[in-house]
Each structure stands twice: as C-alpha cells, then as structure tokens.
Amino acid sequence: MSGRTHVGACPERTCVGCRERAAKNDLLRIVVAGDACVPDPRGTLPGRGAYVHPAVVCLDQAVRRRAFSRAFKSSGPFDTAELRKAVEGP
C-alpha cells in the first residue's frame, strides 16, 4: 500500500515560507484578490491557493523569497498588509 493515503488521513500542504510540510488544518490558506494576498481561513474563496504557517517568521520568509509570485504563477509584488494582520492577531 505504498504511496497511498490512509482512509481519514489529513491532507498535507507545504508552507511557502519555510517549505516544511504540515497538515492542511495547521496552515493558513492564502488567495489573491486583486493585487493583495488575503487570508482564506475557511478555504472557500475561489482561485489558486498557497499555504503558510500562521507565524510571522514564515510570512516574512515567504515575502523575502517572493514565494507568493511563484505560488500564484503571477507577477508581483502583492500587498500583504491584510495577511500580516491575520497572522499577528489583534
């Protein structure tokens, strides 16, 4: 049964910041809305999604490496202010 997921297994995604794999539930989905990256915590917004750990360190790495441009297959730069607010919290 190699290469197959077990029934009930949680899907994994890769954080675009630190490049580590984690359970989809542990990562924050991000989509592009206009020229900004916006958080999609419910995972229901349309379009291509990228995933990042909800930590400032991973967000900073993703911005520094221009990972969002590659993940969304689009030229940037993207405004990440709303995303930063969601990661940093109130």
Side-chain angles (χ1 to χ4, degrees):
M1 214 174 170
S2 69
R4 299 191 149 228
T5 58
H6 299 287
V7 175
C10 184
E12 287 189 340
R13 299 292 184 263
T14 301
C15 172
V16 296
C18 66
R19 304 292 299 156
E20 289 184 16
R21 291 185 63 79
K24 184 178 173 182
N25 298 340
D26 296 337
L27 299 171
L28 177 64
R29 183 174 188 258
I30 301 161
V31 295
V32 173
D35 65 344
C37 290
V38 296
D40 182 18
R42 292 184 3 201
T44 56
L45 293 176
R48 177 179 279 275
Y51 292 84
V52 68
H53 283 107
V56 176
V57 174
C58 288
L59 177 60
D60 288 342
Q61 284 180 332
V63 170
R64 188 174 63 245
R65 293 176 48 239
R66 294 185 213 102
F68 295 124
S69 296
R70 280 194 301 280
F72 296 126
K73 298 182 180 179
S74 176
S75 61
F78 295 108
D79 180 20
T80 58
E82 189 175 343
L83 184 58
R84 185 167 297 279
K85 284 184 210 172
V87 169
E88 290 175 349

XYZ file of all heavy atoms in Angstrom:
670
model
N 0.805 -1.181 0.000
C 0.000 0.000 0.000
C 0.858 1.258 0.000
O 0.461 2.281 0.502
C -0.894 -0.021 1.233
C -2.218 0.596 0.976
S -3.197 0.313 2.468
C -4.537 1.339 2.067
N 2.045 1.196 -0.552
C 2.912 2.366 -0.542
C 2.392 3.427 -1.503
O 1.853 3.138 -2.559
C 4.334 1.975 -0.933
O 4.361 1.621 -2.283
N 2.564 4.698 -1.106
C 2.146 5.801 -1.944
C 0.675 6.148 -1.831
O 0.204 7.058 -2.475
N -0.070 5.436 -1.022
C -1.497 5.718 -0.871
C -1.759 6.292 0.504
O -1.105 5.926 1.477
C -2.323 4.454 -1.048
C -2.137 3.860 -2.421
C -3.149 2.783 -2.646
N -3.433 2.797 -4.063
C -4.635 2.785 -4.574
N -5.676 2.738 -3.801
N -4.819 2.786 -5.869
N -2.734 7.171 0.565
C -3.088 7.727 1.874
C -4.071 6.800 2.565
O -4.830 6.092 1.927
C -3.721 9.122 1.727
O -4.863 9.013 0.895
C -2.747 10.105 1.124
N -4.036 6.835 3.855
C -4.945 6.023 4.639
C -6.306 6.698 4.702
O -6.423 7.916 4.611
C -4.399 5.819 6.053
C -3.087 5.109 6.067
N -2.964 3.772 5.801
C -1.840 5.560 6.293
C -1.692 3.423 5.880
N -0.985 4.501 6.169
N -7.326 5.927 4.869
C -8.677 6.476 4.976
C -8.727 7.397 6.191
O -8.299 7.035 7.283
C -9.717 5.342 5.108
C -11.095 5.907 5.342
C -9.692 4.470 3.872
N -9.234 8.602 6.003
C -9.334 9.552 7.099
C -8.068 10.338 7.353
O -8.015 11.126 8.273
N -7.036 10.121 6.542
C -5.795 10.858 6.732
C -5.996 12.318 6.348
O -6.695 12.629 5.399
C -4.684 10.255 5.894
N -5.374 13.206 7.094
C -5.489 14.635 6.826
C -4.520 14.996 5.694
O -3.354 14.600 5.731
C -5.141 15.421 8.088
S -5.367 17.183 7.894
N -4.987 15.726 4.689
C -4.088 16.093 3.591
C -2.975 17.016 4.073
O -3.161 17.791 5.007
C -4.996 16.805 2.591
C -6.213 17.177 3.335
C -6.334 16.252 4.501
N -1.832 16.916 3.423
C -0.694 17.749 3.775
C -0.456 18.785 2.699
O -0.735 18.555 1.518
C 0.576 16.901 3.936
C 0.596 16.066 5.183
C 1.953 15.425 5.395
O 2.737 15.299 4.438
O 2.225 15.054 6.544
N 0.060 19.928 3.101
C 0.424 21.003 2.195
C 1.802 21.508 2.614
O 2.262 21.254 3.721
C -0.584 22.164 2.262
C -1.996 21.793 1.868
C -2.091 21.470 0.381
N -3.461 21.194 -0.034
C -3.985 19.985 -0.161
N -3.263 18.924 0.111
N -5.229 19.838 -0.568
N 2.456 22.241 1.720
C 3.774 22.781 2.006
C 3.669 24.276 2.271
O 3.058 25.012 1.495
C 4.720 22.538 0.813
O 4.805 21.141 0.574
C 6.112 23.074 1.104
N 4.266 24.726 3.348
C 4.312 26.145 3.689
C 5.241 26.843 2.699
O 6.378 26.398 2.500
C 4.825 26.316 5.117
S 5.135 28.029 5.590
N 4.758 27.915 2.053
C 5.587 28.617 1.079
C 6.694 29.424 1.747
O 7.624 29.865 1.082
C 4.752 29.527 0.140
C 3.819 28.709 -0.710
C 4.017 30.598 0.903
N 6.611 29.604 3.056
C 7.648 30.339 3.782
C 8.825 29.468 4.157
O 9.939 29.662 3.676
N 8.572 28.465 4.983
C 9.660 27.617 5.485
C 9.856 26.345 4.670
O 10.811 25.611 4.882
C 9.415 27.260 6.944
S 7.963 26.216 7.221
N 8.928 26.066 3.749
C 8.977 24.902 2.861
C 8.814 23.570 3.601
O 9.165 22.521 3.084
C 10.277 24.871 2.029
C 10.529 26.099 1.215
C 9.573 26.309 0.095
N 9.635 25.214 -0.852
C 8.657 24.860 -1.673
N 7.533 25.532 -1.663
N 8.786 23.864 -2.494
N 8.280 23.592 4.803
C 8.022 22.352 5.544
C 6.604 21.881 5.268
O 5.694 22.685 5.106
C 8.197 22.582 7.046
C 9.633 22.783 7.457
C 9.776 22.912 8.962
O 8.824 22.556 9.689
O 10.831 23.379 9.401
N 6.429 20.575 5.233
C 5.107 20.003 5.030
C 4.395 19.930 6.372
O 5.006 19.641 7.396
C 5.212 18.618 4.398
C 5.715 18.710 2.963
C 5.719 17.388 2.247
N 4.401 16.799 2.084
C 3.508 17.149 1.159
N 3.788 18.109 0.324
N 2.345 16.535 1.059
N 3.096 20.205 6.330
C 2.291 20.165 7.551
C 0.863 19.799 7.173
O 0.486 19.876 5.995
C 2.330 21.506 8.268
N 0.094 19.417 8.155
C -1.312 19.116 7.916
C -2.015 20.375 7.415
O -1.735 21.484 7.875
C -1.972 18.616 9.198
N -2.903 20.201 6.481
C -3.624 21.327 5.887
C -4.316 22.165 6.954
O -4.370 23.386 6.859
C -4.638 20.778 4.881
C -5.400 21.813 4.115
C -6.330 21.139 3.124
C -7.238 22.128 2.448
N -8.170 21.481 1.524
N -4.823 21.518 8.000
C -5.516 22.214 9.085
C -4.598 23.126 9.890
O -5.058 24.045 10.550
C -6.169 21.208 10.030
C -7.216 20.367 9.341
O -7.731 20.740 8.297
N -7.522 19.229 9.925
N -3.284 22.864 9.862
C -2.332 23.661 10.631
C -1.818 24.870 9.865
O -1.077 25.675 10.412
C -1.137 22.796 11.048
C -1.541 21.680 11.996
O -2.591 21.821 12.652
O -0.799 20.679 12.079
N -2.171 24.982 8.591
C -1.687 26.070 7.750
C -2.811 27.032 7.403
O -3.985 26.671 7.448
C -1.084 25.503 6.461
C 0.108 24.570 6.639
C 0.469 23.918 5.313
C 1.290 25.310 7.208
N -2.451 28.251 7.034
C -3.401 29.271 6.626
C -3.394 29.348 5.108
O -2.341 29.525 4.496
C -3.010 30.621 7.228
C -3.864 31.824 6.834
C -5.299 31.639 7.338
C -3.260 33.098 7.379
N -4.573 29.197 4.497
C -4.675 29.292 3.045
C -4.716 30.763 2.656
O -5.362 31.581 3.300
C -5.941 28.590 2.546
C -6.069 28.599 1.032
C -7.264 27.753 0.581
N -7.281 27.616 -0.857
C -8.084 28.316 -1.664
N -8.941 29.177 -1.160
N -8.031 28.136 -2.974
N -4.032 31.076 1.561
C -3.950 32.445 1.068
C -4.360 32.440 -0.394
O -3.978 31.546 -1.151
C -2.504 32.964 1.194
C -2.066 32.907 2.638
C -2.381 34.372 0.645
C -0.581 32.958 2.811
N -5.144 33.433 -0.792
C -5.522 33.596 -2.193
C -5.238 35.041 -2.604
O -5.039 35.910 -1.767
C -7.014 33.265 -2.448
C -7.294 31.803 -2.173
C -7.921 34.133 -1.623
N -5.246 35.286 -3.917
C -5.028 36.627 -4.433
C -6.373 37.267 -4.725
O -7.224 36.679 -5.382
C -4.169 36.590 -5.713
C -4.091 37.960 -6.349
C -2.785 36.082 -5.399
N -6.548 38.493 -4.234
C -7.737 39.293 -4.529
C -7.226 40.631 -5.061
O -6.747 41.458 -4.289
C -8.594 39.484 -3.287
N -7.286 40.792 -6.362
C -6.728 41.995 -6.977
C -5.223 41.943 -6.933
O -4.606 41.066 -7.518
N -4.617 42.885 -6.212
C -3.153 42.891 -6.087
C -2.718 42.609 -4.654
O -1.627 42.978 -4.241
C -2.587 44.225 -6.567
C -3.033 45.389 -5.700
O -3.998 45.232 -4.939
O -2.401 46.468 -5.783
N -3.585 41.950 -3.887
C -3.273 41.673 -2.485
C -3.436 40.194 -2.170
O -4.276 39.506 -2.745
C -4.188 42.488 -1.578
N -2.622 39.732 -1.245
C -2.770 38.380 -0.707
C -3.710 38.487 0.483
O -3.471 39.284 1.392
C -1.427 37.843 -0.237
S -0.286 37.477 -1.555
N -4.768 37.709 0.481
C -5.731 37.752 1.577
C -5.862 36.374 2.209
O -5.756 35.358 1.532
C -7.116 38.262 1.112
C -7.032 39.692 0.647
C -7.681 37.387 0.020
N -6.079 36.330 3.520
C -6.255 35.043 4.193
C -7.598 34.422 3.834
O -8.585 35.123 3.613
C -6.185 35.400 5.676
C -6.553 36.841 5.742
C -6.124 37.457 4.452
N -7.613 33.118 3.764
C -8.839 32.358 3.485
C -8.946 31.251 4.525
O -8.727 30.071 4.223
C -8.774 31.784 2.069
C -10.025 31.014 1.690
O -11.053 31.190 2.356
O -9.965 30.240 0.720
N -9.271 31.597 5.778
C -9.273 30.598 6.850
C -10.284 29.476 6.649
O -10.052 28.354 7.081
C -9.578 31.404 8.109
C -10.176 32.680 7.637
C -9.644 32.924 6.255
N -11.411 29.757 5.974
C -12.412 28.712 5.741
C -12.097 27.872 4.512
O -12.677 26.812 4.306
C -13.801 29.334 5.611
C -14.285 29.925 6.916
C -15.675 30.475 6.878
N -16.373 30.292 5.621
C -17.404 31.000 5.212
N -17.852 31.969 5.963
N -17.992 30.765 4.068
N -11.191 28.356 3.662
C -10.809 27.605 2.474
C -11.873 27.589 1.395
O -11.948 26.637 0.618
N -12.693 28.638 1.305
C -13.799 28.640 0.362
C -13.668 29.676 -0.751
O -14.475 29.675 -1.674
C -15.127 28.907 1.095
O -15.020 30.140 1.805
C -15.437 27.779 2.066
N -12.694 30.573 -0.653
C -12.549 31.585 -1.692
C -12.064 30.942 -2.994
O -11.291 29.983 -2.967
C -11.568 32.674 -1.252
C -12.011 33.543 -0.086
C -10.910 34.522 0.312
C -13.281 34.296 -0.433
N -12.511 31.471 -4.128
C -12.110 30.881 -5.408
C -10.671 31.238 -5.765
O -10.115 32.212 -5.281
C -13.085 31.519 -6.400
C -13.440 32.825 -5.792
C -13.444 32.580 -4.297
N -10.092 30.427 -6.609
C -8.755 30.697 -7.122
C -7.699 29.792 -6.531
O -7.946 28.989 -5.638
N -6.519 29.941 -7.084
C -5.362 29.169 -6.642
C -5.007 29.581 -5.224
O -5.003 30.757 -4.897
C -4.200 29.449 -7.585
C -2.910 28.777 -7.199
C -1.823 29.081 -8.197
N -1.930 28.242 -9.367
C -1.429 27.013 -9.467
N -0.781 26.496 -8.453
N -1.567 26.314 -10.564
N -4.690 28.617 -4.408
C -4.333 28.900 -3.026
C -2.888 28.550 -2.728
O -2.298 27.691 -3.365
N -2.319 29.254 -1.786
C -0.995 28.952 -1.257
C -1.166 28.818 0.250
O -2.113 29.359 0.823
C -0.012 30.057 -1.593
N -0.264 28.115 0.875
C -0.390 27.860 2.306
C 0.853 28.346 3.039
O 1.967 28.242 2.537
C -0.578 26.356 2.562
C -1.908 25.860 2.066
C -2.085 25.494 0.742
C -3.003 25.778 2.909
C -3.322 25.049 0.270
C -4.237 25.342 2.453
C -4.378 24.979 1.137
O -5.604 24.554 0.677
N 0.626 28.891 4.233
C 1.723 29.362 5.073
C 1.354 29.073 6.530
O 0.180 29.093 6.892
C 1.984 30.875 4.828
C 0.848 31.722 5.335
C 3.288 31.334 5.440
N 2.374 28.796 7.342
C 2.123 28.655 8.775
C 1.639 29.996 9.297
O 2.139 31.037 8.868
C 3.406 28.262 9.519
C 3.771 26.830 9.357
N 4.832 26.423 8.576
C 3.225 25.706 9.878
C 4.924 25.108 8.630
N 3.960 24.645 9.407
N 0.693 30.015 10.216
C 0.217 31.300 10.760
C 1.226 31.871 11.756
O 0.946 32.054 12.931
C -1.112 30.933 11.427
C -0.990 29.487 11.743
C -0.098 28.893 10.696
N 2.438 32.125 11.263
C 3.515 32.673 12.087
C 4.220 33.768 11.294
O 4.400 33.652 10.085
C 4.515 31.572 12.454
N 4.626 34.816 11.982
C 5.273 35.949 11.335
C 6.566 35.515 10.648
O 6.894 36.003 9.565
C 5.536 37.073 12.369
C 6.299 38.224 11.745
C 4.227 37.567 12.952
N 7.287 34.577 11.246
C 8.557 34.116 10.678
C 8.335 33.531 9.283
O 9.051 33.882 8.335
C 9.210 33.062 11.606
C 10.434 32.466 10.968
C 9.541 33.675 12.944
N 7.353 32.679 9.136
C 7.079 32.053 7.840
C 6.574 33.080 6.834
O 6.940 33.038 5.660
C 6.079 30.911 7.985
S 6.782 29.456 8.789
N 5.749 34.002 7.278
C 5.250 35.045 6.388
C 6.401 35.910 5.887
O 6.491 36.205 4.694
C 4.208 35.909 7.104
C 3.651 37.078 6.301
C 2.975 36.592 5.032
C 2.689 37.886 7.143
N 7.306 36.296 6.780
C 8.456 37.112 6.383
C 9.351 36.367 5.390
O 9.837 36.957 4.427
C 9.279 37.532 7.605
C 8.569 38.581 8.443
O 7.637 39.232 7.922
O 8.949 38.750 9.614
N 9.557 35.072 5.611
C 10.361 34.279 4.678
C 9.700 34.220 3.306
O 10.373 34.340 2.288
C 10.559 32.859 5.204
C 11.563 32.747 6.307
C 11.720 31.311 6.781
O 10.801 30.512 6.693
N 12.885 30.986 7.289
N 8.395 34.038 3.277
C 7.677 33.957 2.007
C 7.776 35.275 1.245
O 7.996 35.278 0.032
C 6.213 33.598 2.253
N 7.641 36.394 1.943
C 7.735 37.702 1.295
C 9.157 37.930 0.790
O 9.362 38.365 -0.347
C 7.304 38.825 2.272
C 7.620 40.189 1.702
C 5.817 38.699 2.586
N 10.142 37.616 1.610
C 11.545 37.827 1.238
C 11.942 36.984 0.027
O 12.670 37.447 -0.851
C 12.451 37.517 2.429
C 13.898 37.900 2.187
C 14.762 37.719 3.421
N 14.832 36.329 3.836
C 14.354 35.847 4.988
N 13.775 36.648 5.851
N 14.462 34.576 5.283
N 11.437 35.753 -0.045
C 11.782 34.843 -1.142
C 10.897 35.040 -2.373
O 11.037 34.322 -3.348
C 11.646 33.394 -0.667
C 12.644 33.013 0.385
C 12.427 31.590 0.916
N 12.247 30.633 -0.129
C 11.166 29.864 -0.280
N 10.168 29.963 0.561
N 11.072 29.002 -1.250
N 9.937 35.975 -2.298
C 8.964 36.198 -3.373
C 8.217 34.908 -3.705
O 7.949 34.595 -4.863
C 9.643 36.756 -4.621
C 10.204 38.135 -4.411
C 10.750 38.689 -5.712
N 11.892 39.543 -5.426
C 13.154 39.163 -5.595
N 13.447 37.987 -6.068
N 14.121 39.992 -5.295
N 7.881 34.162 -2.675
C 7.229 32.867 -2.844
C 5.790 33.004 -3.334
O 5.288 32.111 -4.020
C 7.255 32.092 -1.526
N 5.125 34.099 -3.012
C 3.737 34.257 -3.436
C 3.640 34.416 -4.947
O 2.727 33.903 -5.579
C 3.066 35.422 -2.720
C 2.921 35.209 -1.238
C 3.440 36.109 -0.342
C 2.263 34.087 -0.755
C 3.306 35.902 1.025
C 2.119 33.874 0.608
C 2.643 34.783 1.497
N 4.583 35.123 -5.542
C 4.576 35.271 -7.001
C 4.706 33.921 -7.686
O 4.021 33.640 -8.673
C 5.728 36.183 -7.447
O 5.551 37.475 -6.938
N 5.570 33.075 -7.169
C 5.740 31.733 -7.746
C 4.521 30.857 -7.478
O 4.053 30.143 -8.356
C 6.993 31.068 -7.177
C 8.262 31.521 -7.834
C 9.428 30.609 -7.496
N 9.687 30.514 -6.063
C 10.351 31.421 -5.370
N 10.811 32.498 -5.946
N 10.565 31.258 -4.081
N 4.009 30.912 -6.268
C 2.877 30.052 -5.902
C 1.628 30.394 -6.708
O 0.870 29.502 -7.101
C 2.589 30.169 -4.409
N 1.422 31.679 -6.965
C 0.231 32.095 -7.698
C 0.471 32.208 -9.195
O -0.420 32.587 -9.945
C -0.291 33.426 -7.144
C -0.749 33.339 -5.725
C -0.254 34.192 -4.763
C -1.678 32.384 -5.337
C -0.678 34.117 -3.443
C -2.102 32.293 -4.020
C -1.601 33.154 -3.078
N 1.698 31.902 -9.620
C 2.064 31.959 -11.043
C 1.673 33.299 -11.650
O 1.027 33.376 -12.689
C 1.430 30.795 -11.808
C 1.918 29.447 -11.309
C 1.336 28.322 -12.103
C 1.869 27.002 -11.548
N 1.345 25.852 -12.250
N 2.037 34.351 -10.933
C 1.681 35.696 -11.348
C 2.802 36.641 -10.933
O 3.510 36.393 -9.958
C 0.376 36.112 -10.669
O 0.053 37.430 -10.967
N 2.955 37.725 -11.684
C 3.983 38.684 -11.308
C 3.492 39.499 -10.117
O 2.323 39.829 -10.017
C 4.301 39.604 -12.487
O 3.158 40.322 -12.855
N 4.376 39.790 -9.222
C 4.018 40.547 -8.039
C 4.408 41.989 -8.224
O 4.470 42.432 -9.346
N 4.663 42.711 -7.191
C 4.534 42.290 -5.799
C 3.087 42.364 -5.328
O 2.269 43.061 -5.910
C 5.393 43.307 -5.051
C 5.312 44.545 -5.887
C 5.198 44.070 -7.316
N 2.798 41.607 -4.296
C 1.459 41.572 -3.719
C 1.464 42.317 -2.389
O 2.432 42.268 -1.652
C 1.007 40.124 -3.482
C 0.845 39.344 -4.744
C 1.739 38.352 -5.076
C -0.210 39.599 -5.601
C 1.580 37.625 -6.239
C -0.380 38.882 -6.763
C 0.522 37.894 -7.092
N 0.347 42.972 -2.095
C 0.180 43.652 -0.813
C -0.141 42.596 0.242
O -1.090 41.832 0.091
C -0.953 44.676 -0.912
C -1.184 45.419 0.395
O -0.270 45.437 1.243
O -2.287 45.967 0.555
N 0.647 42.534 1.299
C 0.452 41.514 2.333
C 0.003 42.108 3.666
O 0.089 41.441 4.690
C 1.748 40.703 2.536
O 2.806 41.590 2.892
C 2.122 39.926 1.286
N -0.472 43.345 3.658
C -0.864 44.008 4.912
C -2.004 43.263 5.608
O -1.954 43.026 6.822
C -1.261 45.453 4.643
N -3.042 42.889 4.866
C -4.176 42.180 5.470
C -3.751 40.803 5.982
O -4.183 40.352 7.045
C -5.305 42.036 4.444
C -6.587 41.508 5.035
C -7.730 41.485 4.040
O -7.655 42.148 2.992
O -8.699 40.767 4.329
N -2.871 40.165 5.246
C -2.357 38.860 5.650
C -1.540 38.987 6.933
O -1.672 38.179 7.845
C -1.510 38.291 4.521
C -0.949 36.909 4.686
C -2.057 35.900 4.923
C -0.154 36.518 3.459
N -0.739 40.038 7.016
C 0.079 40.261 8.219
C -0.813 40.474 9.441
O -0.530 39.963 10.527
C 1.006 41.449 8.012
C 1.961 41.665 9.172
C 3.068 42.625 8.823
N 3.923 42.136 7.760
C 4.925 41.256 7.943
N 5.178 40.782 9.140
N 5.665 40.868 6.937
N -1.914 41.213 9.287
C -2.839 41.428 10.407
C -3.420 40.109 10.887
O -3.575 39.884 12.086
C -3.981 42.352 9.984
C -3.619 43.796 9.891
C -4.854 44.612 9.551
C -4.498 45.833 8.769
N -5.654 46.545 8.253
N -3.764 39.229 9.951
C -4.351 37.935 10.313
C -3.345 37.054 11.045
O -3.701 36.327 11.972
C -4.859 37.225 9.068
N -2.087 37.123 10.656
C -1.057 36.289 11.267
C -0.670 36.824 12.633
O -0.503 36.073 13.591
C 0.174 36.176 10.343
C 1.345 35.539 11.062
C -0.174 35.377 9.094
N -0.527 38.141 12.745
C -0.102 38.743 14.015
C -1.181 38.725 15.065
O -0.912 38.747 16.245
C 0.389 40.183 13.782
C 1.680 40.255 13.040
C 2.087 41.683 12.711
O 1.267 42.599 12.876
O 3.239 41.876 12.285
N -2.451 38.719 14.625
C -3.557 38.715 15.569
C -3.938 40.113 15.995
O -3.342 41.091 15.569
N -4.943 40.207 16.860
C -5.436 41.535 17.291
C -4.475 42.278 18.181
O -3.655 41.808 18.831
C -6.726 41.227 18.023
C -6.700 39.784 18.348
C -5.713 39.142 17.430
